[in-house]
Amino acid sequence: MLTSKQPVQETDALGGAIAYRKRAINSESLGTNGMQAVTAMKEDTWVGHLRRIHEDRDQSAFAELFQHFAPRVKAFLMKSGANETLAEECTQEVMATLWRKAQMFDPTRASVATWIFTIARNRKVDMLRKQRRPEPEDLPWGPEAEPDQADVVMLRQETARLSEALAQLPQKQRDLVEKAYFGDLSHSEIAAETGLPLGTIKSRIRLALEKLRHDMK
Amino acid sequence: MGTIKHHLNDALLMAYSAGALPEAFDLVVATHISLCDECRARLEAFDTLGGVVLEACAEVSMSDTSLEATLALIAAQDTGSEIIAEPAKASTGIFPKPLQDYVGGDLDAVNWKALGGGVRQAVLPTTRDASVRLLHIPAGMKMPDHGHHGTELTLVLQGAFEDEDGYFARGDVEIADEDMNHTPVAAEGEDCICLAATDARLRFNRLLPRMAQPFMGI
């Protein structure tokens, strides 16, 4: 259970991320659900690490992100059909891209896992499907715009809820969702009706996009 | 923004998020999303699901030297000059950036081929599991009836057209499946320019009448 009174425990120097992290926790309403709170804490650490990579080129922050995400990216690529050697090589490239693009990460629109997924997915399309991946035009973004922490926390909660909802789906349905993302289903086989709470996340992201458009005017 | 009435469906957005679409469809989806924040938000919700699936992946062990190799890769890619990404600028012209990348510029860079009756097309290079072309249809022109094989996505970039399904203006995308027969008419005023993708090639071995061929040149 998190309250605004609880001190933020730093076992390692989070540098500039400390203030960032405190703000996120103080903006409260993380919910009383313990698992969601833990997920939110962890996510806060990852976001702080991305900042340290971007601002301080911090290799120890990178090493921690690597330790958590690289084995998952590799698993994702192997489930998508890459052999071990290729998956290892691609994972290293994905993690190097994370370093290079750390400042592009927007916590009001994505979790760190989501952002890494999009990098891995693009690499997969390129490497395994041997095709270019046209991406939507980037949105205009301003210099160092400070994300609204309330928005960040809300998206984080919705993402944690989605994660639980996926875990609670009947096995058969969960398999279908995972198969879609591992590329085991052709586009005509993908049934988008997942029964998962995606609508609330969409609404959050939609608001973040509106703010972004407004700020850029 | 805000005036688009015809959007992508969830199946297409999820398939794009999963990286499961043919390149030709990817291009139409990416171009529409460049013009439509509503579909961008829906796509990013599906990306969130992808992130949740990734996070739930059982870990596979990395090679012993993996982190060192990655740091070396980062060092090798680091040219020394600080990479400060320019704030993205909205593309000028009528083609959003993903389409400009395929055309090699905006409208004036298109390599049109005449199809007769003032209609022109330019097929864009993609993988062969589906095809995508730009179509230029003179204002007010009625197109012949055509059926579909497979799925066809038509995104309006300039002008408008109207058919049994409604009125489609800039940013609107029509999703037609193979049961659909429609008679699009380009609206009066401005010539209509569309980006149209079809996976009809996959259906060539079916013994269906190919009414679309003479007109679309597929």
Side-chain angles (χ1 to χ4, degrees):
Chain A
M1 169 112 170
L2 285 164
T3 70
S4 55
K5 282 177 192 151
Q6 184 179 333
V8 179
Q9 304 214 341
E10 302 299 335
T11 49
D12 54 352
L14 271 178
I18 292 176
Y20 193 64
R21 179 168 172 172
K22 274 185 184 153
R23 268 202 307 281
I25 290 167
N26 288 345
S27 48
E28 81 112 345
S29 74
L30 280 171
T32 47
N33 183 310
M35 202 171 124
Q36 280 185 23
V38 169
T39 311
M41 273 287 263
K42 233 164 88 181
E43 179 64 18
D44 221 38
T45 308
W46 299 145
V47 173
H49 282 17
L50 279 180
R51 276 217 154 185
R52 284 162 63 191
I53 291 171
H54 161 47
E55 287 172 1
D56 311 324
R57 310 170 69 77
D58 185 326
Q59 293 199 353
S60 67
F62 180 76
E64 278 181 42
L65 279 168
F66 189 94
Q67 199 186 6
H68 181 81
F69 286 105
R72 287 175 169 79
V73 170
K74 188 172 176 181
F76 170 76
L77 293 170
M78 287 175 73
K79 281 175 189 272
S80 302
N83 65 34
E84 220 231 302
T85 315
L86 185 62
E88 171 76 35
E89 188 189 322
C90 283
T91 301
Q92 292 180 16
E93 286 165 4
V94 167
M95 296 310 288
T97 303
L98 172 146
W99 176 286
R100 225 174 38 243
K101 295 193 170 169
Q103 85 269 26
M104 307 282 289
F105 173 71
D106 178 355
T108 64
R109 281 163 59 202
S111 70
V112 174
T114 297
W115 187 60
I116 294 176
F117 159 74
T118 63
I119 298 172
R121 184 254 340 263
N122 291 1
R123 196 74 197 93
K124 179 182 96 172
V125 168
D126 185 34
M127 197 71 148
L128 294 177
R129 303 198 59 209
K130 310 237 180 287
Q131 67 184 45
R132 276 169 81 181
R133 163 91 184 176
E135 284 281 303
E137 193 162 306
D138 277 340
L139 288 173
W141 53 282
E144 300 292 322
E146 195 63 35
D148 186 327
Q149 289 305 315
D151 292 344
V152 172
V153 170
M154 290 295 264
L155 182 69
R156 213 164 271 177
Q157 285 178 339
E158 306 288 4
T159 307
R161 225 165 270 154
L162 177 63
S163 177
E164 277 166 36
L166 180 66
Q168 282 162 15
L169 274 188
Q171 185 70 39
K172 223 173 157 185
Q173 259 174 286
R174 194 167 77 221
D175 281 353
L176 270 179
V177 171
E178 289 177 351
K179 272 185 165 178
Y181 283 91
F182 297 144
D184 290 340
L185 301 180
S186 76
H187 73 94
S188 53
E189 291 169 328
I190 288 179
E193 190 41 67
T194 57
L196 293 167
L198 288 170
T200 46
I201 293 183
K202 186 228 102 183
S203 305
R204 289 275 142 228
I205 297 170
R206 186 79 175 89
L207 285 174
L209 291 173
E210 273 170 29
K211 281 189 183 176
L212 196 58
R213 296 268 182 213
H214 183 78
D215 289 349
M216 289 303 114
K217 270 182 188 162
Chain B
M1 293 284 163
T3 56
I4 295 173
K5 290 192 179 62
H6 300 276
H7 297 272
L8 295 165
N9 62 32
D10 279 349
L12 282 163
L13 287 167
M14 186 175 178
Y16 178 75
S17 174
L21 287 180
E23 186 182 350
F25 284 17
D26 275 355
L27 181 58
V28 178
V29 171
T31 305
H32 174 78
I33 289 171
S34 301
L35 298 168
C36 179
D37 276 355
E38 177 66 18
C39 286
R40 192 189 286 263
R42 287 165 65 208
L43 169 70
E44 290 180 6
F46 279 115
D47 287 347
T48 305
L49 181 54
V52 165
V53 169
L54 175 76
E55 182 70 45
C57 275
E59 302 173 41
V60 170
S61 64
M62 302 301 294
S63 83
D64 294 342
T65 55
S66 197
L67 177 60
E68 289 72 19
T70 306
L71 288 169
L73 185 62
I74 289 165
Q77 288 171 345
D78 193 344
T79 54
S81 59
E82 178 90 357
I83 303 163
I84 299 170
E86 293 285 316
K89 273 181 271 176
S91 64
T92 52
I94 68 163
F95 294 168
K97 186 163 180 307
L99 180 55
Q100 288 195 357
D101 289 346
Y102 275 75
V103 169
D106 203 61
L107 188 55
D108 51 6
V110 179
N111 185 17
W112 294 109
K113 300 255 183 326
L115 284 180
V119 177
R120 294 181 286 167
Q121 74 162 354
V123 177
L124 302 175
T126 60
T127 48
R128 297 173 62 87
D129 46 356
S131 63
V132 61
R133 71 206 60 232
L134 280 162
L135 287 165
H136 177 127
I137 298 127
M141 185 172 195
K142 188 176 173 183
M143 304 179 215
D145 258 347
H146 66 283
H148 288 278
H149 308 276
T151 302
E152 186 178 271
L153 304 181
T154 309
L155 170 66
V156 178
L157 296 159
Q158 179 192 290
F161 72 81
E162 191 162 17
D163 67 12
E164 291 81 348
D165 250 21
Y167 183 87
F168 295 80
R170 177 167 167 86
D172 284 327
V173 63
E174 178 169 61
I175 304 167
D177 63 24
E178 62 187 300
D179 301 326
M180 185 171 180
N181 270 283
H182 58 168
T183 325
V185 181
E188 296 293 341
E190 222 175 352
D191 287 355
C192 182
I193 293 170
C194 303
L195 182 68
T198 173
D199 58 0
R201 278 175 193 281
L202 298 174
R203 314 257 173 175
F204 270 13
N205 50 4
R206 289 204 183 173
L207 293 172
L208 290 166
R210 299 201 52 231
M211 294 165 67
Q213 186 178 26
F215 170 66
M216 300 293 282
I218 296 164

